[in-house]
Amino acid sequence: MDFATALIAENAAFADLLRTADRSLPVPTCPEWTVQQLMRHVGRGDRWCAQIVADQSMDYIDPRTVAGGKPPEGRDNEIEWLQAGAQQLIDAVAQTGPDTPVWTFLGPRPAQWWIRRRLHEVVVHRADAAIALGADYEVDPAMAADAITEWLERVVIQADEEGPAGGDRPLGDGQSVHLHATDPGLGTAGEWTILGRPDGIALAHEHGKATVALRGPARSLLLAVVRRRSAAEEGLEVFGDAGVWDTWLARTPF
């Protein structure tokens, strides 16, 4: 997947959704945010990552200090500002070098890591906007599957860094969650098995039995995994111990 091209396309789809929207509307899936705040969050976030990359920073940068972090006045100007942020990040990666290590919240990663991260950030926030506006939300199955993978990869890293956490662990030792995307053509990219271990969790792209399994389109699995919609709301099939799924949701990042 060409993550840079996909980021521009997803950002444009997000912008189109907001172009004529009532931005004072609340966003139910992002409590206490309005559509306007959601737009600012995405636009500033892209610029924040662009500055990290451009500065080749190995330290956290306060997003409030990022140049151009607030949109200009005027609806059309705001949309242009939103779309320019994604391009700014792509340009910064090209200039700095995609393999140049920079700061991330998971430790140093190649600069190009941020493009994939921001792609899936806007994929999910486009869903937030669509839910707030009562609009349809569609996403390419391969894109949705990669968004699930990217999210799970981060959960695994964070769980391994935290180590044993007693009752706060998303999966107990030996417990497992399996996600199965039913979209044709995804193959193992649409299969995820997450296994609880004594020191964290493990992830594999494989089919298998699990303590709890969810089955349905990748789009619906993504919305359920990131807690934008429930499995029931998305019509997902749930097999096994649903309580394990509920605990997983309660103990993984929003």
Side-chain angles (χ1 to χ4, degrees):
M1 183 182 297
D2 182 340
F3 294 123
T5 299
L7 172 58
I8 294 298
E10 278 295 320
N11 182 280
F14 179 63
D16 286 345
L17 194 57
L18 303 186
R19 194 176 298 276
T20 60
D22 179 354
R23 298 188 198 151
S24 67
L25 290 172
V27 181
T29 49
C30 295
E32 301 182 3
W33 279 11
T34 63
V35 172
Q36 179 75 6
Q37 289 169 311
L38 182 68
M39 181 195 70
R40 290 179 179 177
H41 171 75
V42 172
R44 176 182 287 178
D46 287 338
R47 285 168 171 78
W48 173 63
C49 300
Q51 184 168 329
I52 291 170
V53 171
D55 293 351
Q56 299 182 31
S57 178
M58 296 300 288
D59 297 308
Y60 171 79
I61 294 176
D62 188 337
R64 295 171 296 180
T65 68
V66 171
K70 294 183 179 180
E73 293 186 3
R75 182 170 286 264
D76 289 342
N77 292 334
E78 287 178 327
I79 293 297
E80 290 178 6
W81 171 86
L82 173 64
Q83 293 182 289
Q87 188 63 55
Q88 189 172 323
L89 171 58
I90 291 167
D91 292 345
V93 170
Q95 184 172 356
T96 298
D99 295 324
T100 301
V102 298
W103 179 90
T104 81
F105 48 82
L106 297 179
R109 293 288 188 279
Q112 63 186 348
W113 181 93
W114 277 115
I115 294 178
R116 185 182 182 219
R117 172 79 288 277
R118 293 307 299 177
L119 164 61
H120 295 313
E121 180 84 357
V122 74
V123 165
V124 172
H125 284 320
R126 183 164 65 84
D128 291 323
I131 290 168
L133 299 172
D136 291 336
Y137 176 74
E138 296 299 333
V139 61
D140 177 75
M143 181 82 70
D146 192 67
I148 293 169
T149 297
E150 192 262 351
W151 187 86
L152 288 173
E153 288 170 349
R154 290 187 285 117
V155 171
V156 168
I157 291 169
Q158 291 169 326
D160 286 348
E161 288 175 348
E162 293 169 1
D168 294 331
R169 293 184 56 195
L171 284 177
D173 187 17
Q175 290 182 329
S176 55
V177 173
H178 180 70
L179 307 175
H180 180 110
T182 54
D183 310 87
L186 288 179
T188 55
E191 300 257 13
W192 302 265
T193 296
I194 310 110
L195 177 65
R197 306 181 308 185
D199 57 346
I201 54 179
L203 171 65
H205 282 287
E206 61 184 18
H207 186 75
K209 293 184 177 180
T211 312
V212 63
L214 279 73
R215 187 176 185 274
R219 166 201 172 280
S220 297
L221 290 172
L222 172 62
L223 294 178
V225 163
V226 297
R227 303 205 297 279
R228 266 49 185 190
R229 299 256 295 172
S230 70
E233 287 172 327
E234 284 298 308
L236 293 169
E237 296 179 277
V238 180
F239 306 95
D241 189 345
V244 171
W245 174 245
D246 292 338
T247 300
W248 167 265
L249 291 178
R251 296 177 180 175
T252 51
F254 180 70

